[in-house]
Amino acid sequence: MEVKNRLTPNEAQLQAFLESGDDVPIYMVNLLKFREKAEYADGRASALTGEEAYGIYGEAVAGLLAKHGGGLMFSGKVEHLLLGEVEELWDSIAIASYPSRKAMFEMVASPEYQKIAVHREAGLAGQLNIETVNPMGLWLVQDREG
C-alpha cells in the first residue's frame, strides 16, 4: 500500500465527495504531517513552525465548524504506531464532525475559510482526510460521567 499525503483532494476525490447523496452527519479523520518551518505561498517571512501555523488555522476553523453546525471531536499528537507499518508517522490527528457533506463543502468554500486556509497550507507538508459516517448513531465508547 502506497500512502501519499496531500493538501487538496484530486479531481476524482472531489467529484465523488460532491456526488455522494447521503445527507447524513460525517466525521472527517485528519492525519496531519507538519512542515518543519511554515512556508507561506505569498512568500511572507515567518519564524513559525509548521505546527504553529497550523495552530492558527485550527483555532480559527473551530469557530467556523460551529457556525456550520459541526465541531472538533478530537485532536491529539501521534505518539507511536502500535499496529501496522508506514514509512513515516503523522504528527497529529484531528476528527471534525459536520452535519452533512454539504455543510462541510459550504464551510471550505466560504470567504472566511479561504482567509484562514493560508495558515493550513503554510503549516502542512500534507495530510490524509478520511471521511467516515455513523449511520446508526452508535458509539463504542460512552461518556461514563453523570
Side-chain angles (χ1 to χ4, degrees):
M1 171 191 307
E2 184 177 0
V3 177
K4 293 183 180 180
N5 289 314
R6 299 281 189 241
L7 289 178
T8 58
N10 65 36
E11 196 170 315
Q13 291 166 327
L14 184 58
Q15 191 67 28
F17 179 81
L18 294 174
E19 288 177 353
S20 298
D22 296 333
D23 197 20
V24 297
I26 62 170
Y27 302 85
M28 294 301 288
V29 178
N30 300 270
L31 302 177
L32 309 166
K33 187 69 181 167
F34 300 120
R35 297 178 195 267
E36 189 173 321
K37 297 188 122 240
E39 296 177 20
Y40 285 90
D42 62 8
R44 74 179 82 168
S46 174
L48 297 173
T49 65
E51 186 173 6
E52 290 168 337
Y54 189 86
I56 294 168
Y57 162 82
E59 285 185 34
V61 84
L64 285 179
L65 280 165
K67 182 178 176 181
H68 289 270
L72 180 62
M73 306 300 293
F74 175 82
S75 177
K77 290 187 178 207
V78 173
E79 290 290 321
H80 64 274
L81 186 65
L82 181 63
L83 181 65
E85 295 179 32
V86 294
E87 288 184 23
E88 189 175 359
L89 286 179
W90 292 270
D91 297 315
S92 187
I93 183 172
I95 303 173
S97 68
Y98 299 88
S100 66
R101 289 176 184 95
K102 180 181 177 189
M104 180 184 169
F105 184 76
E106 288 174 352
M107 185 191 85
V108 298
S110 73
E112 298 101 333
Y113 182 86
Q114 297 304 312
K115 183 177 179 181
I116 64 170
V118 297
H119 301 293
R120 175 187 169 275
E121 293 163 7
L124 285 178
Q127 75 178 87
L128 295 183
N129 266 23
I130 303 167
E131 178 189 349
T132 66
V133 296
N134 187 0
M136 299 178 71
L138 300 175
W139 292 99
L140 296 177
V141 178
Q142 296 180 351
D143 182 3
R144 300 206 184 263
E145 294 182 26

